[in-house]
Amino acid sequence: FKEAIKYSPLVNTSSQYIGLWGLNEIYMGMGYSYVEAKDLKSALTYANLSKQTGEQSGNYDYIVDASDLLHFLHFALNQMDSSLYYTRKIDSMSLALHNNGYAILAYTGYLRHYDTLHNNKLVMEYFNKGINLLKADAGINHFDAQQFLYFAIRVLKKQRNYPAIIEAMELSTSINYKTFRNS
């Protein structure tokens, strides 16, 4: 990844190889690599660089992906206010762009946040919003949908909310079946 950055026009003005979009993907790759290496501070640096290049390119998908990684990293570093900031950023973009895929990422962030605060009322509110959204829009990225459902099931198990767990597991199974059938 570090070698690839040398071919970006931001680093090498004579380069015609990697534009902002490619550079954004390199930064995201570096961020996730540092997550795997459990070096969250370095991951945070590259997630921020990814967000900046996403903003420069105007690509909303890149901005949301970087914001989702930043949310996760701040959460893992126990920086709850910053984590919630990025969740809200994703949520506001989902509303402004009418993008349900972004919304499910935000709902996952809200579940994490409010579960940490032991606010079961808000956990259930965002669980229900997420479930209703997944039932209404089959076009949401299946990976993001499963991530939401996986985390929701973990949270609901702590609450011993078995009817909601069953609902989430049934929806997860249905999404898995559709993914398998369509593949």
Side-chain angles (χ1 to χ4, degrees):
F1 286 125
K2 288 181 179 178
E3 184 67 23
I5 289 175
K6 294 177 185 176
Y7 295 94
S8 167
L10 297 179
V11 176
N12 178 354
T13 55
S14 67
S15 174
Q16 297 178 12
Y17 294 106
I18 300 175
L20 286 174
W21 290 12
L23 185 60
N24 177 277
E25 291 171 345
I26 292 168
Y27 286 149
M28 283 296 286
M30 290 179 78
Y32 281 113
S33 293
Y34 279 115
V35 168
E36 289 298 315
K38 300 191 183 344
D39 181 354
L40 301 184
K41 295 286 187 180
S42 294
L44 200 56
T45 298
Y46 286 103
N48 276 309
L49 287 169
S50 177
K51 183 181 72 64
Q52 290 170 5
T53 56
E55 289 168 347
Q56 289 172 354
S57 72
N59 186 311
Y60 295 115
D61 287 339
Y62 289 160
I63 297 167
V64 169
D65 288 345
S67 295
D68 190 44
L69 179 56
L70 285 163
H71 146 76
F72 168 77
L73 290 168
H74 284 291
F75 185 85
L77 292 166
N78 204 26
Q79 298 168 347
M80 296 311 192
D81 289 343
S82 295
S83 177
L84 185 59
Y85 168 82
Y86 286 106
T87 297
R88 287 181 174 153
K89 181 176 179 128
I90 294 167
D91 194 20
S92 66
M93 290 180 74
S94 77
L95 293 171
L97 299 170
H98 306 286
N99 187 311
N100 291 337
Y102 298 168
I104 205 68
L105 290 173
Y107 296 162
T108 304
Y110 287 130
L111 282 177
R112 252 188 209 116
H113 182 77
Y114 292 118
D115 176 55
T116 302
L117 298 177
H118 306 291
N119 187 333
N120 294 342
K121 181 182 176 194
L122 286 175
V123 165
M124 287 309 299
E125 178 182 325
Y126 284 103
F127 168 74
N128 288 326
K129 284 182 176 186
I131 288 290
N132 292 335
L133 187 63
L134 291 173
K135 287 179 179 177
D137 186 352
I140 293 175
N141 178 302
H142 292 181
F143 176 78
D144 295 337
Q146 291 296 3
Q147 181 180 338
F148 169 82
L149 292 167
Y150 172 76
F151 193 77
I153 290 167
R154 275 191 17 201
V155 169
L156 295 167
K157 281 170 70 175
K158 286 192 268 182
Q159 295 180 5
R160 300 182 197 274
N161 187 337
Y162 299 114
I165 292 170
I166 291 168
E167 184 178 17
M169 290 178 79
E170 286 175 343
L171 186 53
S172 177
T173 302
S174 172
I175 290 170
N176 280 339
Y177 177 74
K178 287 177 188 172
T179 302
F180 175 74
R181 188 183 66 217
N182 292 338
S183 299

